[in-house]
């Protein structure tokens, strides 16, 4: 078992007085009350250009406890800081879609609260992607239903795609819009047959934190396709495959330029100083759940939860017998006698904290050791592992500390492709038909129905239909809903999806243990 790092100096952990406040206030603690400097609730949301200081330790209450972000370079003056300043025409800044209270992402809970507080006037609801389609009447709530209910933004992918040099890629398949509830994919201005053809899909914003893990390169090749990882011509380094859902940007700079052009609607060439300022700020942030209402402090009892461990640990480490996934919570494992008396319902129990902690430790063990048959998953079963292959959650979520994939590349787990995806009548449905002579999707064949073609919108290849880049599992409790399309409303829904998808047969106790594990990451 690898040794965990020691704590950061300087008192980065939540103070004892904060914990006492939480214990005395539960369950009536409001959002914002747990922030280190205890601002009023109205300041939970960070608006662009507010000028608020971003402290070295920033904590907020979420539905399960406290989410904490560490800023390793100390407090940041946000006046004219490019991460906090509107750089485009729609009033947004990076902070708009990467809120500290939501684990540097966005939760539906806070999106809905923002609609209520501003009557839909906040820049987060900008027509370009904060509405179901820019052509809809923007003052109406229904025009923003996918953002308000799923937490998804519209991502418009030019069709056909282009490569890194701007050259058009000849797609291996044709796309037909089967269902278009938003009207964007069949519309005259933004649709597939418009003057600037595009496919509109709807995706959750990824957290802008724990960056060293997102950019870590575990292999020099992409094992899911067998190709060498592309090299960034600017840095000469291999590019990570873990940044965006469809891997359309291989570096943080390219991702930032894409976001500035599309989400912020900047005009002209980006300012190099602004770009570097944003990259430097994001690169020193670490975010994780740090306190649980039942389990208490997540670095207590020998455990090493919270963002400090992320800040001090090495990124890109593949799980092994030496580097154990979620070893942070191994000290919470129950004795044999205590495990025999474990119960699902800990409410009102004097041993609630102990039982919850034991449940978390069991969840980590289930994550690593409970095997099941993984089948019909492109990017996994297509890698010569066999179909089916027997393994655990740890098979894909194999990067220690984050649960991302050390092996870069995308996987089709069925979250967007039929017949495995959950019903989603509010999302578009596409029919992709592979051309004769092209290699089809390895398990779904030459005709695939999907809510989001995923990586195939970048490569144009049939084998990539529905493949999505795996996300970090840190800070989950603060940023519901889940999956790229927001189809899992709760963490329990995530467990239930995989239980159905792979016919795992989890017991009710195992489901709760896995859910409890994910709430403390």
């Amino acid at each position: 078992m690898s040794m965990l790092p020691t704590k950061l100096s300087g008192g980065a952990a939540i103070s004892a007085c904060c914990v006492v406040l939480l214990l005395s206030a539960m369950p009536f603690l409001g959002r914002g009350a747990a922030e280190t400097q205890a601002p009023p609730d109205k300041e939970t949301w960070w608006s662009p250009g507010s000028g608020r200081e971003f402290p070295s330790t920033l904590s907020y209450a979420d539905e399960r406890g406290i989410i904490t972000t560490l800023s390793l370079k100390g407090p940041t003056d946000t006046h004219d800081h490019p991460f906090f300043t509107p750089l485009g025409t729609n009033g947004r800044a990076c902070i708009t879609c990467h809120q500290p209270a939501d684990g540097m992402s966005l939760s539906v809970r806070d999106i809905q609260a923002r609609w209520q507080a501003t009557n839909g006037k906040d820049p987060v609801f900008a027509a370009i992607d904060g509405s179901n389609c820019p052509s809809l009447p923007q003052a109406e709530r229904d025009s923003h239903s996918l953002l308000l209910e799923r937490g998804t933004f519209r991502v418009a992918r030019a069709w056909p795609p282009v490569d890194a040099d701007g050259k058009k890629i000849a797609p291996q398949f044709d796309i037909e819009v089967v269902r278009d509830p938003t009207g964007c994919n069949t519309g005259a201005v933004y649709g597939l047959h418009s003057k600037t053809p595009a496919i509109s899909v709807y995706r959750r914003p990824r957290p802008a934190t724990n960056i060293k893990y997102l950019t870590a390169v575990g292999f020099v090749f992409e094992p899911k396709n067998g190709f060498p990882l592309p090299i960034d011509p600017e840095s000469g380094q291999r590019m990570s495959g873990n940044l965006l859902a469809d891997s359309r940007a291989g570096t943080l700079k390219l991702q930032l330029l894409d976001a500035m052009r599309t989400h912020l609607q900047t005009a002209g060439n980006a300012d190099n100083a602004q770009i570097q300022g944003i990259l430097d700020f994001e690169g020193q942030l670490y975010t994780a759940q740090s306190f649980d209402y039942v389990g208490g402090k997540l670095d207590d009892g020998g455990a090493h939860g919270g963002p400090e461990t992320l800040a001090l640990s090495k990124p890109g480490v593949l799980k092994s017998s030496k580097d154990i996934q979620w070893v942070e919570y191994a000290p919470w494992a129950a004795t044999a006698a205590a495990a025999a008396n474990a119960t699902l319902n800990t409410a009102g129990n004097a041993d609630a904290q102990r039982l919850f902690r034991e449940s978390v430790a069991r969840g980590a063990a289930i994550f690593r050791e409970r095997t099941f048959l993984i089948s019909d998953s492109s990017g996994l079963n297509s890698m010569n592992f066999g179909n089916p292959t027997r393994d655990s959650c740890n098979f894909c979520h194999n990067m220690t500390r984050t649960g991302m994939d050390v092996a870069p590349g995308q996987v089709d787990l069925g979250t967007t492709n039929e017949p495995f995806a959950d019903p989603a009548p509010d999302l578009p449905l596409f029919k992709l038909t592979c051309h004769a002579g092209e290699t089809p999707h390895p398990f779904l064949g030459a005709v695939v129905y999907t809510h989001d073609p995923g990586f195939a919108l970048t490569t144009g290849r049939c084998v990539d239909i529905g493949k999505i880049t795996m996300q970090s599992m840190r800070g989950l409790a603060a940023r519901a809903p889940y999956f790229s399309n927001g189809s899992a409303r709760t963490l329990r829904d995530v467990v239930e999806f995989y239980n159905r998808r792979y016919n795992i047969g989890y017991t009710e106790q195992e489901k709760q243990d896995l859910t409890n594990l994910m709430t403390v990451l």
Side-chain angles (χ1 to χ4, degrees), residues 1-5 317 320-325 327 400-401:
M1 183 180 298
S2 62
M3 295 296 292
L4 285 163
V317 175
S320 66
S321 58
K322 175 177 176 290
D323 295 293
I324 300 172
Q325 186 65 290
V327 70
T400 60
R401 308 286 181 256

Side-chain angles (χ1 to χ4, degrees), residues 31 45 60-69 97-112 147-153 203-211 213-214 242-243 286-289 310 326 397 401-404 468-492 494 517-521:
R31 295 300 297 271
W45 183 271
Y60 284 96
D62 57 37
E63 293 182 358
R64 292 299 303 259
I66 294 178
I67 185 79
T68 295
T69 293
C97 301
H98 300 285
Q99 292 284 328
D102 297 333
M104 300 306 293
S105 176
L106 275 180
S107 69
V108 158
R109 174 176 174 171
D110 282 343
I111 293 169
Q112 292 177 351
L147 179 57
L148 287 164
E149 302 301 327
R150 289 179 173 266
T152 55
F153 290 86
R203 298 174 182 160
R204 298 277 291 122
R206 296 188 166 222
T209 186
N210 304 327
I211 298 298
Y213 294 91
L214 300 177
N242 282 327
L243 292 178
Y286 292 90
T287 304
Q289 196 79 353
L310 292 174
W326 311 133
H397 298 279
R401 308 286 181 256
T402 66
M404 293 192 305
I468 300 291
T469 306
M470 208 162 296
Q471 293 198 48
S472 169
M473 295 180 68
R474 287 294 183 167
L476 289 172
R479 53 184 173 94
Y482 309 101
F483 294 142
S484 64
N485 59 8
S487 59
R489 305 290 175 160
T490 68
L491 289 172
R492 178 61 177 254
V494 173
L517 166 68
M518 290 191 288
T519 65
V520 300
L521 296 179

Side-chain angles (χ1 to χ4, degrees), residues 20-39:
V20 171
L21 169 64
L22 285 166
L23 289 173
S24 63
M26 293 187 296
F28 305 107
L29 186 65
R31 295 300 297 271
E35 190 175 357
T36 301
Q37 297 182 2

Side-chain angles (χ1 to χ4, degrees), residues 4 7 42 47 62 68 112 217 220 226 236 247 249 252 287 313 326 329-330 404 420 453 484 503 518-519:
L4 285 163
K7 287 187 177 182
K42 67 180 181 180
S47 294
D62 57 37
T68 295
Q112 292 177 351
V217 175
V220 297
S247 197
L252 279 175
T287 304
S313 296
W326 311 133
Y329 293 108
M404 293 192 305
F420 303 113
S484 64
N503 298 307
M518 290 191 288
T519 65

